[in-house]
């Protein structure tokens, strides 16, 4: 009889960086079975076939389809030897798994193909820009910003040498190149740590059309405050011609911007992007991109149809989750469209998401249980003026186990509480999260999946994204006060 693998055991460095070819067919079969039978497996979200998924990468439109890569270690639910996997879609909803595409197989990425971005060069070639991770003695690290071409036929051709090496004045924490068009030129921003251990973003510019030559332009100026000890996953997109910088500062002082998660995902809106001075001019305040428990490494791009599209990792660095026992962790958010309204960033699932809806029901939530088929639904509710209420989701039949959502319309506040779930994790960072919205009206679109919850307030004014782990039979809904609602079951 095959011994059940303990995927939660401590993984040694040798195990994490073990060559893929060393894993037996029996191991892969057992791991695949564990994930397929996991009680936490989602229905309409992207999650890894096996192992760990983290950062979305290379989000782009190429060859008539959306391409969404993600970083993955396919042989265990831990951060190990990373590759890029690829999903493609004609509509941002129905995704095809194209398998692993970008492998750690050169001297410049031998210990991991880390995060990056993509930009079409032509109808036949998609340029990939990514960080190659290499390790030396005593766990030393060298990071290289590498290029590759993904072809129309699905082949990968890596460039022979790195496009950018870490410049003087920075540590080996130099990664996540994001390429973009601006002012008729190609640029990239890279997350970095200075030798003084200060977080920053570095700007580079391509000096030829083939994107094989690059020059550094200096540090991107966008804030007066110190940005912690490291910035990861910077993205610069343009919404109504205004630059919006998304980024993940590690070690950010909470007096600069308040947050509860181990690391926040933040954004800043500016008036313009000045190339010569490497400055986001008239940059505004720092804001949390998402007020839920788990969101990080959001990647956005300016799509050819004029929309700005984004996908987030519903996870965080250095955080263990219950699904690891089943051989997997990590998932991607719904694809969201980013817009600006009255100078504020809004995020809402792309309009194509409506195609997931079926079996519409008009219901009334109350202290009496509402039974649903599964935790795979969209729930829409509206509260007005001075209303207060509390919803209970992922609940059992007597409501002793649940996720609660307190809504105070008068004061424009929502509090999400997952203290009463049968499975606990990450309690060191608290069991509640809250967000503020414009008082007077609260329209909520709540997207539940087997082990996730994405809440959009007032059509994207605020967002709360979280992982939820409970038992399969907890598929009841309650409300403290009677509340009309509309619910749709969502397709796989």
């Amino acid at each position: 009889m095959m011994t059940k693998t303990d995927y939660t055991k401590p993984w040694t460095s040798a195990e994490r960086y073990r060559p893929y070819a060393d894993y037996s067919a029996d191991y892969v079969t057992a791991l695949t079975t564990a994930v397929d039978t996991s009680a936490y497996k989602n229905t309409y979200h992207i999650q890894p076939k096996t192992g760990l998924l983290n950062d979305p990468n290379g989000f782009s439109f190429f060859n008539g389809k959306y391409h969404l890569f993600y970083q993955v270690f396919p042989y265990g639910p831990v951060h190990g030897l990373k590759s890029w996997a690829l999903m493609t879609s004609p509509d941002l909803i129905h995704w095809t798994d194209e398998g692993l595409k970008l492998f750690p197989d050169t001297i410049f990425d031998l210990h991991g193909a880390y995060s990056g971005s993509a930009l079409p060069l032509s109808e036949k070639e998609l340029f990939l820009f990514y960080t190659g991770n290499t390790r030396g003695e005593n766990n030393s690290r060298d990071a290289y910003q590498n290029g590759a071409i993904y072809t129309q036929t699905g082949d990968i051709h890596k460039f022979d040498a790195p496009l950018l090496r870490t410049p003087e004045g920075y540590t080996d924490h130099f990664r996540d190149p994001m390429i973009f068009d601006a002012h008729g030129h190609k640029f990239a921003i890279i997350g970095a740590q200075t030798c003084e251990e200060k977080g920053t973003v570095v700007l580079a510019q391509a000096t030829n059309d083939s994107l094989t030559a690059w020059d550094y332009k200096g540090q991107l100026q966008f804030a007066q405050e110190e940005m912690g000890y490291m910035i990861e996953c910077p993205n610069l997109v343009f919404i109504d011609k205004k630059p919006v910088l998304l980024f993940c500062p590690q070690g950010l002082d909470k007096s600069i911007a308040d947050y509860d998660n181990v690391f926040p995902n933040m954004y800043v809106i500016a008036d313009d992007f000045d190339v010569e001075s490497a400055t986001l001019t008239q940059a505004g305040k720092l804001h949390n991109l998402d007020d839920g428990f788990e969101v990080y490494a959001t990647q956005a791009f300016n799509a050819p149809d004029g929309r700005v599209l984004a996908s987030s990792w519903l996870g965080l660095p250095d955080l263990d989750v219950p699904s690891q026992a089943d051989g997997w962790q990590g998932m991607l958010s719904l694809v969201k469209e980013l817009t600006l309204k009255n100078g504020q960033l809004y995020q809402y699932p792309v309009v194509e998401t409506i195609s997931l809806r079926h079996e519409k029901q008009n219901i009334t939530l109350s202290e009496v249980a509402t039974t649903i088929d599964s935790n795979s639904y969209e729930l829409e509710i509206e509260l007005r003026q001075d209303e207060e209420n509390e919803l209970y989701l992922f609940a059992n039949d007597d409501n002793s186990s649940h996720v609660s959502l307190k809504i105070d319309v008068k004061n424009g506040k929502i509090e999400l509480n997952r203290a009463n779930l049968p499975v606990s994790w990450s309690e060191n960072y608290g069991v509640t999260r809250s967000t503020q919205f414009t008082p007077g009206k609260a329209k909520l679109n709540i997207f539940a999946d087997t082990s996730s919850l994405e809440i959009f307030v007032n059509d994207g004014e605020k967002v709360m994204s979280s992982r939820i782990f409970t038992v399969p039979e907890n598929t009841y809904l309650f409300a403290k006060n009677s509340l009309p609602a509309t619910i749709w079951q969502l397709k796989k």
Side-chain angles (χ1 to χ4, degrees):
M1 180 180 294
M2 185 181 298
T3 303
K4 180 177 172 60
T5 302
D6 180 9
Y7 301 111
T8 62
K9 68 180 179 71
W11 286 63
T12 65
S13 181
E15 289 172 326
R16 291 172 187 263
Y17 292 99
R18 181 179 171 186
Y20 289 1
D22 287 356
Y23 289 92
S24 69
D26 285 345
Y27 177 87
V28 174
T29 298
L31 178 59
T32 303
T33 299
V35 177
D36 285 344
T37 57
S38 173
Y40 306 129
K41 187 175 181 180
N42 291 282
T43 60
Y44 59 91
H45 283 82
I46 293 173
Q47 69 169 68
K49 184 177 180 181
T50 55
L52 175 136
L53 169 157
N54 57 316
D55 302 1
N57 293 150
F59 199 8
S60 53
F61 187 82
F62 170 67
N63 195 24
K65 294 182 288 188
Y66 293 97
H67 285 57
L68 180 54
F69 297 85
Y70 60 83
Q71 201 176 133
V72 63
F73 173 54
Y75 295 102
V78 296
H79 293 275
L81 186 60
K82 302 286 184 65
S83 294
W84 281 20
L86 173 62
M87 306 292 287
T88 60
S89 173
D91 59 5
L92 301 167
I93 301 299
H94 301 91
W95 294 93
T96 298
D97 184 357
E98 307 286 357
L100 301 183
K101 289 296 181 181
L102 189 68
F103 290 90
D105 55 7
T106 75
I107 61 171
F108 299 113
D109 59 14
L110 196 57
H111 295 90
Y114 279 19
S115 289
S117 54
L119 190 72
L121 290 179
S122 68
E123 293 181 357
K124 297 182 179 181
E125 293 184 331
L126 180 67
F127 172 78
L128 306 182
F129 208 179
Y130 72 101
T131 298
N133 179 46
T134 65
R135 299 277 185 169
E137 295 182 358
N138 300 318
N139 209 33
S140 64
R141 182 205 313 251
D142 283 309
Y144 302 99
Q145 311 315 312
N146 299 326
I149 297 297
Y150 178 75
T151 70
Q152 196 176 34
T153 57
D155 298 318
I156 292 275
H157 303 290
K158 293 183 179 180
F159 295 176
D160 293 334
L163 301 180
L164 288 169
R165 296 174 186 259
T166 304
E168 290 187 10
Y170 298 91
T171 72
D172 53 15
H173 292 287
F174 194 87
R175 55 183 174 269
D176 312 335
M178 190 271 178
I179 185 171
F180 60 95
D181 281 304
H183 304 301
H185 298 282
K186 303 291 191 298
F187 296 91
I189 49 176
I190 302 106
Q193 179 186 69
T194 69
C195 288
E196 294 76 33
E197 297 188 353
K198 305 296 184 182
T200 190
V201 175
V202 175
L203 178 68
Q205 181 176 349
T207 57
N208 62 7
D209 292 338
S210 62
L211 306 183
T212 56
W214 292 78
D215 283 341
Y216 286 115
K217 303 286 288 184
Q219 292 182 15
L220 184 67
Q221 305 300 312
F222 63 92
Q224 298 297 320
E225 304 90 348
E226 291 187 355
M227 291 292 103
Y229 59 77
M230 172 66 191
I231 287 180
E232 289 194 314
C233 305
N235 278 242
L236 189 60
V237 291
F238 295 85
I239 307 175
D240 301 333
K241 299 184 179 180
K242 287 186 175 291
V244 179
L245 179 70
L246 315 178
F247 64 105
C248 297
Q250 297 185 333
L252 182 69
D253 193 303
K254 293 187 178 182
S255 65
I256 297 172
D258 192 29
Y259 61 95
D260 293 310
N261 296 341
V262 54
F263 303 126
N265 203 154
M266 309 208 77
Y267 74 91
V268 62
I269 303 170
D271 283 345
D272 201 359
F273 169 47
D274 187 285
V275 175
E276 296 306 317
S277 63
T279 299
L280 297 183
T281 59
Q282 298 297 314
K285 293 182 179 180
L286 274 65
H287 298 277
N288 281 309
L289 186 65
D290 191 293
D291 291 321
F293 284 93
E294 285 96 14
V295 75
Y296 198 75
T298 299
Q299 180 159 112
F301 79 106
N302 283 89
D305 64 4
R307 292 185 294 181
V308 177
L309 304 176
S311 178
S312 306
W313 172 31
L314 297 189
L316 285 166
D318 309 323
L319 182 67
D320 292 332
V321 296
S323 66
Q324 286 176 244
D326 298 334
W328 72 280
Q329 72 157 306
M331 58 183 289
L332 298 183
S333 71
L334 290 168
V335 176
K336 297 160 283 191
E337 181 180 1
L338 308 185
T339 57
L340 292 178
K341 297 180 183 179
N342 301 318
Q344 181 177 341
L345 183 68
Y346 276 61
Q347 309 166 70
Y348 198 74
V350 292
V351 66
E352 292 91 337
T353 308
I354 292 174
S355 67
L356 288 172
R357 293 175 174 175
H358 71 114
E359 296 181 12
K360 177 181 176 180
Q361 289 182 278
N362 294 316
I363 59 176
T364 299
L365 302 176
S366 69
E367 292 183 333
V368 178
T370 297
T371 307
I372 53 177
D373 293 336
S374 69
N375 288 318
S376 179
Y377 60 83
E378 178 189 353
L379 180 69
E380 183 175 277
I381 61 170
E382 290 194 48
L383 294 86
R384 297 184 180 277
Q385 298 178 347
D386 296 340
E387 284 188 79
E388 292 184 33
N389 213 327
E390 186 166 5
L391 302 184
Y392 305 93
L393 315 172
F394 293 87
N396 62 354
D397 57 359
D398 66 1
N399 203 24
S400 59
S401 173
H402 57 248
V403 174
S404 72
L405 195 64
K406 289 184 179 178
I407 308 162
D408 180 351
V409 181
K410 180 179 180 180
N411 295 301
K413 183 177 181 180
I414 292 176
E415 182 182 88
L416 177 65
N417 187 326
R418 63 182 188 190
N420 294 301
L421 288 168
V423 183
S424 61
W425 73 101
S426 189
E427 292 181 328
N428 290 342
Y429 296 100
V431 296
T432 63
R433 294 290 185 271
S434 62
T435 193
Q436 295 287 148
F437 61 92
T438 304
K441 175 186 176 182
K443 173 177 176 284
L444 273 62
N445 289 80
I446 299 169
F447 291 83
D449 209 342
T450 311
S451 61
S452 68
L453 185 64
E454 294 176 82
I455 302 167
F456 297 87
V457 184
N458 290 337
D459 298 319
E461 177 187 352
K462 290 295 179 75
V463 185
M464 305 180 80
S465 303
S466 306
R467 299 301 307 277
I468 304 297
F469 294 96
T470 189
V471 293
E473 58 268 26
N474 283 8
T475 57
Y476 296 88
L477 304 174
F478 295 85
K480 185 175 181 179
N481 303 312
S482 180
L483 179 65
T486 302
I487 190 168
W488 297 267
Q489 292 298 129
L490 297 185
K491 303 172 186 175
K492 291 186 179 180

